[in-house]
Amino acid sequence: MTTGSLICTVESPTMPDRSPVSALLSGRGRRWTHAVGWMAFYLIIFVLISEMRGWQEALFRTTFNFAVLIGIFYFNARILVNRLLEKGHWGAYLISVLGLLTVLSVVRYAIEQFVAGQLLPQQTPQRLLIASFVVYLLVVLLSGVYQLLENRHHAELKAHAWEARHAEAQLSYLRARINPHFLFNTLHNIYAAASLQLPQTADMILKLSQLLRYVTYDAQVYALPLDLEWTHLERYVELYRMRAGGSINLNLVYDRGEGTPWFVAPMLLLPLVENALKHSNLEFADDAFVDIRLETTSDVVHFCVRNSFDPADRQRDAQGGVGLENIRQRLHLLYPNAHTFSAQAHEQVFLATLTLNHNLDAEYATAAMPVG
């Protein structure tokens, strides 16, 4: 914590694509896209040919043409695009496509002329060759575009999966840094009480055991009820009161709004309170204070911590940045586009405010453990 003014607002990482295009390019959506598309195409070809030929010949011609088009589509997509075009072999890709289309057009003409019988009325060999080549080229273009889109989509999914694993690893690291720091300060308070042989030492140890349960069990899940986080915050503050003794200006207010109960990521509020108590001069100045206020509505959680501090105490200042930076990073990972966090120091008052706009409610309701 430093004097002056420090305001930090964290921006959020990009979230995975949930668009209809994404649904058509992966999983069951991709299979259904291919199946429905080919079925519709088969019916269109059959209807067009059956208007000029009998249904039996139309069925034969449709099946034959359909098999050729499917072969072109997937050979170009899975082999030519993936092995040549995606690897930058443009020349080899163009030569392969032109050679494939030329050979297939000639074969199509030969089959039409010598196996299937005479050509359709007004259909010359040149027209048949050109029409076959154009149709096959359109299929190649379609399959190439589709395969490129699919490849880009899969690359994005892999990137998002890597980001998720990286974020989870970073969260674990941040928790490992927050929790021992929190417990160290609590043990220091109990040690001070024991050294003074205060009668409340046993009660402090009991409260510490409850806090240990919170840190080692409850706080390891993704989300907890806000009431549970507040309960353990009160226990931590009570430990501080026991250690400080006498009358100190330390106030807590929880204004519960109506609406759906809030679920939040654990260990977001406690570090802010810990930071305020550590840097305040409650034990050394009569006018020192710490005010802690939590307010909720159906749409937002607002948490505010104000504390006095001594600008001349540079040793405490030097140790204050780690906890706040950890909070910023956790918010960046856990509440993208759904939070604001600011920390300001002005003269001898430090103010930290946190606003959450996303309730981790229903899907994490079973994650909560009862207050012990």
Side-chain angles (χ1 to χ4, degrees):
M1 177 165 36
T2 58
T3 58
S5 178
L6 170 64
I7 302 178
C8 176
T9 301
V10 183
E11 295 184 357
S12 309
T14 304
M15 299 302 289
D17 182 19
R18 302 294 183 186
S19 65
V21 174
S22 175
L24 295 177
L25 294 176
S26 60
R28 290 185 178 181
R30 180 176 61 177
R31 293 191 290 270
W32 276 105
T33 299
H34 286 246
V36 173
W38 285 120
M39 289 176 61
F41 193 59
Y42 185 94
L43 291 176
I44 292 174
I45 296 178
F46 177 78
V47 171
L48 292 176
I49 296 179
S50 63
E51 292 179 353
M52 296 176 289
R53 306 280 185 164
W55 72 268
Q56 291 180 330
E57 184 177 348
L59 184 63
F60 167 78
R61 289 175 176 273
T62 301
T63 303
F64 172 77
N65 292 329
F66 190 71
V68 173
L69 295 178
I70 288 181
I72 295 174
F73 186 96
Y74 290 110
F75 181 79
N76 176 67
R78 305 301 192 230
I79 305 298
L80 299 183
V81 171
N82 286 343
R83 297 186 181 182
L84 296 178
L85 188 59
E86 286 285 39
K87 295 182 179 180
H89 305 312
W90 290 86
Y93 175 76
L94 291 175
I95 293 173
S96 299
V97 168
L98 291 175
L100 174 67
L101 298 187
T102 300
V103 170
L104 288 177
S105 298
V106 172
V107 171
R108 163 71 189 282
Y109 168 75
I111 293 176
E112 189 76 28
Q113 180 72 13
F114 302 109
V115 177
Q118 63 181 6
L119 299 176
L120 294 174
Q122 301 180 347
Q123 188 178 47
T124 65
Q126 293 80 9
R127 288 182 178 179
L128 178 61
L129 284 172
I130 294 174
S132 300
F133 188 89
V134 170
V135 170
Y136 296 157
L137 179 60
L138 291 175
V139 173
V140 165
L141 293 175
L142 179 62
S143 68
V145 170
Y146 183 89
Q147 189 62 40
L148 291 174
L149 288 175
E150 186 177 278
N151 291 346
R152 298 300 176 270
H153 177 67
H154 289 167
E156 289 180 3
L157 289 180
K158 290 181 180 179
H160 286 309
W162 182 89
E163 289 176 2
R165 290 193 296 269
H166 176 70
E168 182 60 31
Q170 192 171 358
L171 276 177
S172 299
Y173 171 67
L174 292 175
R175 283 172 177 164
R177 293 176 67 185
I178 291 174
N179 295 349
H181 186 61
F182 166 71
L183 294 176
F184 174 81
N185 284 349
T186 306
L187 285 171
H188 177 75
N189 292 345
I190 294 178
Y191 172 79
S195 64
L196 297 175
Q197 297 183 348
L198 299 179
Q200 62 265 36
T201 303
D203 192 22
M204 295 177 71
I205 294 175
L206 175 61
K207 292 186 180 300
L208 174 61
S209 70
Q210 295 170 330
L211 289 170
L212 280 171
R213 176 184 174 183
Y214 174 69
V215 171
T216 57
Y217 293 103
D218 296 18
Q220 299 307 311
V221 297
Y222 189 79
L224 285 171
L226 182 59
D227 287 351
L228 183 59
E229 177 87 351
W230 179 261
T231 296
H232 288 286
L233 185 152
E234 289 179 317
R235 285 174 174 166
Y236 180 80
V237 170
E238 185 61 27
L239 278 172
Y240 186 89
R241 291 183 188 275
M242 291 179 177
R243 187 259 183 190
S247 177
I248 56 176
N249 190 2
L250 175 55
N251 303 309
L252 289 88
V253 177
Y254 183 9
D255 184 6
R256 293 178 178 86
E258 299 180 354
T260 304
W262 275 86
F263 282 72
V264 298
M267 294 295 292
L268 284 181
L269 308 187
L270 277 169
L272 290 176
V273 173
E274 178 192 23
N275 184 76
L277 294 177
K278 181 174 65 174
H279 292 279
S280 67
N281 49 350
L282 282 174
E283 301 173 57
F284 309 103
D286 294 335
D287 59 348
F289 69 91
V290 173
D291 289 326
I292 304 166
R293 177 175 290 272
L294 176 63
E295 299 176 351
T296 64
T297 67
S298 58
D299 301 318
V300 67
V301 170
H302 184 70
F303 186 60
C304 177
V305 181
R306 294 174 62 251
N307 66 276
S308 57
F309 71 98
D310 183 2
D313 193 345
R314 297 299 181 183
Q315 183 177 2
R316 290 193 179 190
D317 273 3
Q319 299 174 357
V322 175
L324 294 178
E325 183 59 29
N326 283 349
I327 293 173
R328 293 186 185 107
Q329 293 182 44
R330 289 192 68 203
L331 290 169
H332 179 78
L333 294 169
L334 293 170
Y335 289 89
N337 295 325
H339 78 276
T340 58
F341 176 63
S342 69
Q344 304 177 57
H346 181 67
E347 295 181 352
Q348 298 183 10
V349 176
F350 190 84
L351 173 65
T353 60
L354 170 62
T355 301
L356 303 177
N357 306 105
H358 177 55
N359 191 355
L360 308 177
D361 49 10
E363 57 182 309
Y364 303 111
T366 59
M369 300 180 69
V371 179

